């Protein structure tokens, strides 16, 4: 089974532009035979952790606004995993949505928050398992992958793949020095549990 990871420039506060990028790359991934394509953490609105910004751009996944986003992704054949800021019952989450042909299959909410995230967002506490043609996968979001239990729990539930929407907050020079080390750590955690890691990232 083929998987695609989208490493793309940050698009901040321009949801239509982010949707266009997802549509273009998702359709292309499908043409190349991918069954899943992963986009970065908070890709839909852009990773900007400020109270006023989050309050303005966060989306309720049960809203007509999100229905319109789903409709714009109907033509994408692979399953799409993308990051966004979610609001639900007055709480904010860093979420990864799982979409199949314009239908919301489910969501994963980031468990391990870091820095300012802890002041604004609520941590997730559920480990959903998703499936493509009988192949099970789970999701970690960025910093989650630094914790071995984030691989152990999905593996115990039957996942064979970890999909990891990520957003590197380091300055570019530091990110370039660290990116291979980050990947080694993530792969080591996954391998120890018999998993494979697929990463959509902003560097």
């Amino acid at each position: 089974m083929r998987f695609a990871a989208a490493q793309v420039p940050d698009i901040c506060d321009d949801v239509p532009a982010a949707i266009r990028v997802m549509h273009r790359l998702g359709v292309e991934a499908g043409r190349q035979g991918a069954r899943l394509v992963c986009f970065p953490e908070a890709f839909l609105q852009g990773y900007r952790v400020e109270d006023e910004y989050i309050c303005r751009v966060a989306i309720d996944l049960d809203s007509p606004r999100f229905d319109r986003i789903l409709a714009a992704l109907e033509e994408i054949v692979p399953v799409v995993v993308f990051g966004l800021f979610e609001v639900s019952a007055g709480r904010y989450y860093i979420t990864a949505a799982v979409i199949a042909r314009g239908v919301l299959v489910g969501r994963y909410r980031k468990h391990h928050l870091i820095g300012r995230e802890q002041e604004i967002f609520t941590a997730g506490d559920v480990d959903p398992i998703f499936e493509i043609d009988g192949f099970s996968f789970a999701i970690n979001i960025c910093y989650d992958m630094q914790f071995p239990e984030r691989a152990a729990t999905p593996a115990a539930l039957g996942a064979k793949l970890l999909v990891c929407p990520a957003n590197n907050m380091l300055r570019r020079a530091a990110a370039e020095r660290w990116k291979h080390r980050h990947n080694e750590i993530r792969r080591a955690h996954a391998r120890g549990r018999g998993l494979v890691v697929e990463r959509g990232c902003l560097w």
Side-chain angles (χ1 to χ4, degrees):
M1 192 175 290
R2 301 188 74 183
F3 306 100
Q7 186 163 309
V8 293
D10 192 13
I11 300 172
C12 192
D13 203 7
D14 193 343
V15 169
I19 292 171
R20 287 193 297 271
V21 170
M22 282 196 285
H23 184 275
R24 177 171 56 84
L25 296 183
V27 168
E28 179 58 29
R31 287 183 183 138
Q32 295 187 33
R35 292 293 291 115
L36 180 147
V37 57
C38 177
F39 289 87
E41 176 185 18
F43 179 68
L44 186 66
Q45 300 106 326
Y47 187 90
R48 182 173 152 192
V49 184
E50 300 169 6
D51 300 66
E52 291 183 6
Y53 181 72
I54 301 302
C55 289
R56 179 168 61 83
V57 303
I59 295 177
D60 186 331
L61 272 57
D62 295 317
S63 68
R65 183 182 178 198
F66 194 68
D67 288 342
R68 291 191 292 273
I69 292 169
L70 294 176
L73 303 176
E74 284 180 347
E75 295 179 4
I76 301 174
V77 173
V79 169
V80 178
V81 176
F82 68 90
L84 71 151
F85 293 135
E86 177 194 3
V87 61
S88 178
R91 294 187 175 188
Y92 298 97
Y93 301 90
I94 299 175
T95 298
V98 180
I99 312 299
R101 296 305 293 258
V103 175
L104 176 65
V105 174
R107 75 195 83 187
Y108 169 85
R109 291 166 171 166
K110 188 173 185 178
H111 282 58
H112 293 279
L113 305 173
I114 187 171
R116 290 277 338 267
E117 293 176 357
Q118 299 172 83
E119 301 171 20
I120 301 172
F121 298 101
T122 298
D125 58 4
V126 178
D127 288 283
I129 303 297
F130 307 97
E131 192 172 287
I132 305 172
D133 299 335
F135 186 88
S136 297
F137 70 94
I139 298 173
N140 279 191
I141 297 178
C142 202
Y143 191 51
D144 285 339
M145 283 296 295
Q146 301 302 313
F147 299 86
E149 66 272 17
R150 291 287 84 240
T153 300
L157 294 171
K160 300 299 181 187
L161 172 76
L162 273 180
V163 177
C164 185
N167 195 320
N168 194 329
M169 294 177 289
L170 299 174
R171 294 182 183 276
R172 180 164 291 276
E176 288 294 337
R177 287 196 305 272
W178 273 94
K179 69 180 181 181
H180 298 297
R181 180 60 181 144
H182 285 318
N183 292 340
E184 288 169 10
I185 293 168
R186 290 165 177 161
R187 289 191 185 104
H189 289 168
R191 270 196 225 98
R193 302 295 173 178
L195 295 166
V196 176
V197 174
E198 184 66 30
R199 176 177 51 85
C201 190
L202 294 173
W203 291 108

